[in-house]
Amino acid sequence: MCHVCPMPSLSLSLSLPPPLNNTNNSEFRRAISTLHLAREPHDLLKSCIRSRNFALGKLLHRKLTESQLTLDSPLLNSLITLYSKSGQWQQALSIFQSMDPSMRDLVSWTAMISCFANHRMHRHSLSTFIQLLRTTDFYPNEFSFTASLRSCSNAEFFSTGLAVFGFVLKTGYLDADVCVGCALIDMFVKGSDDLGSAFKVFEKISERNVVTWNLMITRFVQFSHNGDAIHLFFSMVESGFGPDRFTLSSVLSACAELDLLAFGKQLHSWGVKSGMGLDVFFGSSLVDMYAKCGADGSVEDARKVFDRMPERNVVSWTAIIAAYVQGGLEQEAIGLFCEMIWGYVVPNCFTFASTLKACANLPEFGLGKQLHSQAIKLGVSAVNCVGNGLVNMYARSGRMECARKCFDILLEKNLILYDTAVDRNAKNLDPKDDIFNLETEGTGNGVNAFTYGSLLSAAACIGTISKGEQIHARVLKSGFGNNLCINNALISMYSKCGNEAAALRAFSDMKDRNVISWTSIISGFAKHGFATKALELFCEMLEAGVKPNGVTYIAVLSACSHVGLIDEAWKHFASMRSDHDIVPRMEHYACMVDLLGRSGLLSEAIEFINSMPFRADALIWRTFLGSCRIHHNSKFGEHAAKKVLELEPHDPAAYILLSNLYAAEGRWDDVAAIRKSMKLRKLTKEAGCSWIEVENQVHKFHVGDTSHPKAQKIYDKLDELTFKIRNLGYVPNTDSVLHDVEEELKEQFLFQHSEKIAVAFALISTRKPKPIRIFKNLRVCGDCHMAIKYISVVTGREIVVRDANRFHHIKDGKCSCNDYW
């Protein structure tokens, strides 16, 4: 609709959905034919821009051109803005070029600077700003500064932004104009991750509005300074500003991260009383908050909010799907995804990322393949968060070739963007760049902190430390070395790739640390079996005044579990609630069950499970079943397996664990019955495999694998190792062979395990002193663990094995897990 009051002859209700029908065409012809009678034609053009009725504006432009009227500067400036906002920067530039230099006023130059900034053509935006200063007598206004500062809100042009900042300070626009202040806040945050300087700018803005407060609160939340965000929210309210839906949504996100359920409920009440109860944006934030703060991972409150929303968009659907994934309800999450599709809501990249995470946790792999296909059709499979989810899903299912292909696609895409940025950085911003000879430019370098974080996370999933090191090098060259999120990702990457020393260096080099930084390094040492170091770091964290969260305590309790520190674990489990008001969730109880079970305290573990304040889920019973297998207790094991299958009847893990328990006791008839039951239910055991990266290439092995080009040399090396370690005292543990065959054949089976083959390949392919890093998709068997300890003695090599549960650092015949594994 376009209703223009100053021009009665054009005051028509015009609809412009292409293609135009004959009736609309005739109306346009009548309206445009009277255009020459209008006293202020640019008023209509401005109205079209405000209403985003670009088709009508372009039609007016064509009619004006045909009329051969002389167009003045205001009209040409409006045309530049029209084409800029409609996505046609080339046409906007053409109009600017066609203007006589004497007709270009400050508005013309500012419109062109804004045009380039809006299209992420930052080099040309800044070049135009410099030409304004050098070739004209005009002095930049607040709009000129705001547009140029937006083009400096990236690492590539941040140094230029500092120069513009100095100019702003001299002119006094920082105090006088809120838009300039907001642009400066974003420049410091996005250009150099300098939240401190951004806040100083915020404090200098004398005339703040709700948008300014919202921006600063949002930036605090994005950088995980959630406490500061809430404190600033209180200051905003005390200053007399009423929060809007964007304010409350940001503060709700802070509550979600700090587990402040009570305060989140107060914000919920505030929002409802303020008339925001039906707002889809506010509702989506509430779903996320209730999901993350729900006791024992409950999604009940989050689902209530979601069900009461009269309108749902892709954000609200994604929030509830993520809530179910976080709560361990993967099947329900996938059901919601299907419901969303049936409701004709198109998923975005974050929807796919959450749903792929659900698929990664399920034994049914076909769903993940369908999702991958759907992501390709919608063109989002190479988006960082989706690609990262695909890498994780394929890696979790043992399909390392697919995981590697997805990773290579991600890496290649982002390295092309990186190389483009480096190439542009190699050329200094030349004030003499001629924008009138411009033909094309990309839409920005696209390489940001999120990009690097996604790549590091993907590298961690497949354990490719060489790629991770390459990404780390590019992070440093790109100026992101002090980025908090990237440094947290580096800690995680090095830990998951088996290099805990490098993870500790990354942690030690950080200037700023948050709870995620501390939790990542504590979790890393816990998974590597270095419980003492993990607990020392936890004490340092508390001394530094950093409040732990629920995930931190999972890492602490896991550290205790890995080495059997029962008393220490009970102390920390109690302190969660008493010292930090953290309500233990299912994962914390699972850690305690694992600790008691592995320590052989099976009766105590059962009592603990029965005393839990909520019903134990499949994770708890599966954990207990694993302990029953270790301690050969079939009575408790059968009970645990029954509980798992009641909760997850299609989970093959319960069948396999119980089958292994029977096999260890020689109950082969029971083993056969379980395998028959699995076959009838079409349940399959995940095939074990091990892999190692050598010279930037991943080599994968299965049991008895002979497909490798160096297979003969590998088995020759295995024979040599067998002879040497037997002489050293190694005796094969045939209890690990879960088949009813002769003892000699059992020993033969043992030396065909994938982890032994991978170690043999590593020994013929690498040299001292480089550690050998092996990855396995399942738990390493007891015999392989013992054999590798002997191999470390006869070869003098350090061998690191990452299995489905933890890391084993084996050196000189000793393992970091102290054999408590």
Side-chain angles (χ1 to χ4, degrees):
M1 295 291 194
C2 187
H3 302 288
V4 185
C5 295
M7 301 179 63
S9 59
L10 293 180
S11 192
L12 301 173
S13 295
L14 304 178
S15 180
L16 282 174
L20 296 170
N21 57 36
N22 292 333
T23 303
N24 281 336
N25 266 317
S26 62
E27 289 176 341
F28 270 117
R29 291 179 189 280
R30 289 197 300 273
I32 299 302
S33 67
T34 62
L35 186 61
H36 67 282
L37 301 176
R39 291 173 297 172
E40 296 290 343
H42 62 274
D43 284 349
L44 178 56
L45 197 55
K46 287 184 177 179
S47 180
C48 292
I49 294 170
R50 282 194 297 269
S51 63
R52 304 190 68 82
N53 201 338
F54 301 130
L56 178 57
K58 293 171 187 177
L59 194 59
L60 290 174
H61 181 204
R62 190 176 70 192
K63 187 64 180 178
L64 285 167
T65 303
E66 292 172 355
S67 71
Q68 296 185 340
L69 292 173
T70 301
L71 306 185
D72 59 11
S73 294
L75 196 54
L76 290 169
N77 294 341
S78 294
L79 286 170
I80 293 173
T81 303
L82 170 77
Y83 284 104
S84 172
K85 292 192 174 182
S86 66
Q88 293 177 272
W89 65 265
Q90 297 95 333
Q91 186 64 24
L93 177 59
S94 176
I95 294 169
F96 184 80
Q97 290 173 326
S98 69
M99 296 174 70
D100 188 272
S102 62
M103 292 183 67
R104 295 181 194 137
D105 55 16
L106 181 58
V107 178
S108 315
W109 285 95
T110 301
M112 206 61 235
I113 295 168
S114 298
C115 174
F116 286 133
N118 292 340
H119 287 83
R120 298 177 59 83
M121 300 168 65
H122 305 310
R123 180 174 297 278
H124 294 284
S125 176
L126 295 172
S127 177
T128 308
F129 179 73
I130 293 170
Q131 287 191 54
L132 165 66
L133 299 177
R134 294 202 170 200
T135 63
T136 75
D137 295 327
F138 299 119
Y139 204 80
N141 59 17
E142 63 270 30
F143 304 109
S144 313
F145 280 124
T146 300
S148 58
L149 287 168
R150 279 194 289 121
S151 287
C152 298
S153 298
N154 53 73
E156 185 178 3
F157 294 114
F158 176 70
S159 58
T160 306
L162 292 176
V164 179
F165 178 41
F167 199 175
V168 168
L169 290 176
K170 290 180 181 179
T171 60
Y173 274 117
L174 175 57
D175 295 327
D177 190 83
V178 70
C179 292
V180 174
C182 289
L184 280 167
I185 289 172
D186 262 355
M187 184 195 77
F188 279 109
V189 171
K190 296 179 180 179
S192 69
D193 301 322
D194 188 352
L195 198 61
S197 295
F199 187 65
K200 288 178 182 178
V201 170
F202 172 80
E203 290 181 312
K204 286 286 185 182
I205 302 173
S206 55
E207 297 295 330
R208 300 172 192 153
N209 57 16
V210 173
V211 175
T212 320
W213 286 98
N214 285 351
L215 177 63
M216 199 65 240
I217 290 170
T218 301
R219 296 298 175 248
F220 271 131
V221 173
Q222 288 175 346
F223 276 74
S224 299
H225 290 253
N226 298 296
D228 293 326
I230 293 173
H231 178 75
L232 194 61
F233 169 72
F234 289 140
S235 299
M236 173 185 177
V237 175
E238 290 169 0
S239 299
F241 290 93
D244 61 13
R245 59 180 184 147
F246 301 109
T247 321
L248 293 182
S249 294
S250 293
V251 183
L252 282 169
S253 295
C255 291
E257 295 304 319
L258 296 175
D259 205 16
L260 299 176
L261 179 60
F263 184 47
K265 288 181 176 180
Q266 292 177 26
L267 293 174
H268 186 179
S269 175
W270 192 341
V272 171
K273 290 177 181 178
S274 302
M276 301 178 213
L278 303 180
D279 181 78
V280 66
F281 192 78
F282 178 64
S284 300
S285 299
L286 283 171
V287 170
D288 180 63
M289 186 276 295
Y290 280 116
K292 290 180 178 177
C293 296
D296 64 66
S298 171
V299 296
E300 183 179 350
D301 290 335
R303 186 58 189 258
K304 284 180 181 177
V305 173
F306 179 78
D307 288 340
R308 290 171 183 168
M309 293 175 69
E311 179 189 351
R312 298 167 187 160
N313 60 11
V314 64
V315 178
S316 45
W317 278 103
T318 301
I320 193 65
I321 289 170
Y324 273 88
V325 175
Q326 181 181 310
L329 302 168
E330 287 86 3
Q331 290 285 7
E332 291 84 349
I334 291 170
L336 283 165
F337 178 83
C338 295
E339 188 179 339
M340 170 186 170
I341 298 295
W342 294 332
Y344 299 102
V345 178
V346 179
N348 62 19
C349 55
F350 301 108
T351 323
F352 275 108
S354 292
T355 315
L356 284 167
K357 188 175 181 181
C359 291
N361 295 331
L362 290 173
E364 179 59 46
F365 181 66
L367 294 170
K369 290 173 69 176
Q370 291 178 43
L371 267 182
H372 190 178
S373 174
Q374 190 71 18
I376 292 171
K377 289 177 181 177
L378 292 175
V380 297
S381 61
V383 175
N384 289 328
C385 62
V386 180
N388 196 20
L390 288 168
V391 172
N392 179 54
M393 180 192 69
Y394 283 119
R396 290 280 296 275
S397 66
R399 291 163 172 82
M400 295 310 300
E401 294 88 348
C402 296
R404 185 66 185 224
K405 285 178 183 177
C406 290
F407 175 77
D408 288 341
I409 290 170
L410 264 187
L411 191 63
E412 182 180 1
K413 181 199 76 171
N414 286 293
L415 291 192
I416 289 172
L417 292 171
Y418 171 86
D419 291 337
T420 302
V422 170
D423 183 59
R424 288 210 299 264
N425 273 325
K427 304 171 185 176
N428 293 324
L429 182 62
D430 188 354
K432 298 179 182 179
D433 282 348
D434 187 1
I435 64 169
F436 305 123
N437 291 329
L438 173 66
E439 291 183 2
T440 184
E441 173 164 311
T443 57
N445 63 49
V447 184
N448 52 31
F450 181 76
T451 302
Y452 285 121
S454 295
L455 289 173
L456 288 167
S457 178
C461 283
I462 59 175
T464 172
I465 193 167
S466 63
K467 294 293 186 184
E469 289 170 340
Q470 289 177 34
I471 298 165
H472 189 178
R474 290 177 183 266
V475 164
L476 297 175
K477 290 178 182 178
S478 301
F480 285 105
N482 293 325
N483 182 275
L484 182 63
C485 296
I486 290 179
N487 282 319
N488 290 342
L490 281 169
I491 295 170
S492 180
M493 184 274 294
Y494 280 120
S495 293
K496 291 179 179 178
C497 288
N499 193 340
E500 197 57 25
L504 184 59
R505 282 196 299 273
F507 176 79
S508 301
D509 291 341
M510 292 176 70
K511 292 182 179 179
D512 297 309
R513 299 168 185 154
N514 61 7
V515 64
I516 298 174
S517 318
W518 286 98
T519 299
S520 296
I521 193 67
I522 292 168
S523 178
F525 275 105
K527 288 181 179 178
H528 282 259
F530 301 117
T532 303
K533 182 64 177 177
L535 296 174
E536 284 176 2
L537 284 164
F538 179 64
C539 292
E540 289 179 27
M541 174 184 178
L542 298 178
E543 290 172 1
V546 180
K547 179 178 167 46
N549 58 22
V551 182
T552 315
Y553 269 103
I554 291 174
V556 170
L557 294 174
S558 295
C560 296
S561 175
H562 289 346
V563 291
L565 298 175
I566 299 175
D567 294 338
E568 186 83 7
W570 279 120
K571 182 186 78 173
H572 289 301
F573 186 78
S575 72
M576 288 177 61
R577 192 189 294 268
S578 61
D579 296 347
H580 301 290
D581 295 322
I582 298 173
V583 178
R585 297 188 180 187
M586 195 72 73
E587 295 89 346
H588 302 106
Y589 284 93
C591 289
M592 294 303 297
V593 170
D594 184 57
L595 171 64
L596 294 171
R598 289 183 182 278
S599 301
L601 305 174
L602 299 179
S603 297
E604 288 85 344
I606 279 283
E607 290 178 12
F608 181 74
I609 293 171
N610 292 333
S611 69
M612 287 168 55
F614 37 76
R615 184 188 181 192
D617 67 357
L619 171 65
I620 296 285
W621 289 112
R622 201 159 35 235
T623 301
F624 182 66
L625 177 55
S627 298
C628 294
R629 186 194 64 80
I630 292 172
H631 296 288
H632 308 292
N633 191 316
S634 58
K635 179 182 177 182
F636 281 148
E638 288 169 347
H639 175 68
K642 180 181 177 182
K643 291 290 186 179
V644 174
L645 295 175
E646 284 177 2
L647 295 165
E648 295 182 1
H650 299 292
D651 178 19
Y655 291 97
I656 293 163
L657 284 169
L658 188 58
S659 173
N660 292 348
L661 177 57
Y662 288 152
E665 294 182 354
R667 296 168 58 177
W668 300 111
D669 290 341
D670 292 325
V671 171
I674 288 178
R675 288 175 179 169
K676 182 179 180 181
S677 179
M678 288 182 67
K679 188 174 182 180
L680 289 172
R681 289 174 171 81
K682 297 182 180 179
L683 300 176
T684 56
K685 178 183 177 181
E686 182 180 353
C689 65
S690 300
W691 63 95
I692 179 173
E693 183 182 9
V694 176
E695 294 182 358
N696 228 9
Q697 184 177 354
V698 174
H699 300 263
K700 180 180 176 182
F701 303 94
H702 291 91
V703 176
D705 203 332
T706 58
S707 61
H708 196 277
K710 293 184 178 180
Q712 186 59 53
K713 291 183 179 180
I714 291 171
Y715 281 97
D716 288 345
K717 188 67 177 179
L718 268 178
D719 290 340
E720 176 191 330
L721 291 170
T722 303
F723 178 76
K724 288 182 177 180
I725 64 176
R726 279 182 181 275
N727 287 339
L728 205 61
Y730 161 75
V731 177
N733 178 11
T734 55
D735 288 344
S736 300
V737 181
L738 306 176
H739 298 279
D740 187 16
V741 294
E742 296 295 328
E743 198 73 12
E744 185 177 341
L745 191 55
K746 286 184 178 181
E747 291 186 13
Q748 186 178 337
F749 282 159
L750 286 175
F751 274 89
Q752 292 180 358
H753 280 193
S754 63
E755 50 266 61
K756 290 191 181 81
I757 298 173
V759 169
F761 171 74
L763 289 170
I764 65 174
S765 305
T766 64
R767 296 289 177 266
K768 293 181 182 179
K770 190 175 182 180
I772 294 170
R773 291 187 171 88
I774 307 293
F775 299 84
K776 185 171 183 180
N777 63 328
L778 304 178
R779 188 172 176 270
V780 64
C781 83
D783 179 76
C784 287
H785 187 263
M786 181 60 68
I788 292 172
K789 290 203 298 183
Y790 277 100
I791 291 171
S792 73
V793 174
V794 299
T795 61
R797 300 290 295 272
E798 179 183 0
I799 304 171
V800 181
V801 181
R802 185 182 94 175
D803 67 11
N805 288 349
R806 68 200 68 193
F807 280 88
H808 304 270
H809 285 256
I810 300 172
K811 187 176 182 180
D812 299 328
K814 296 180 180 179
C815 179
S816 60
C817 65
N818 296 322
D819 292 338
Y820 187 88
W821 59 282

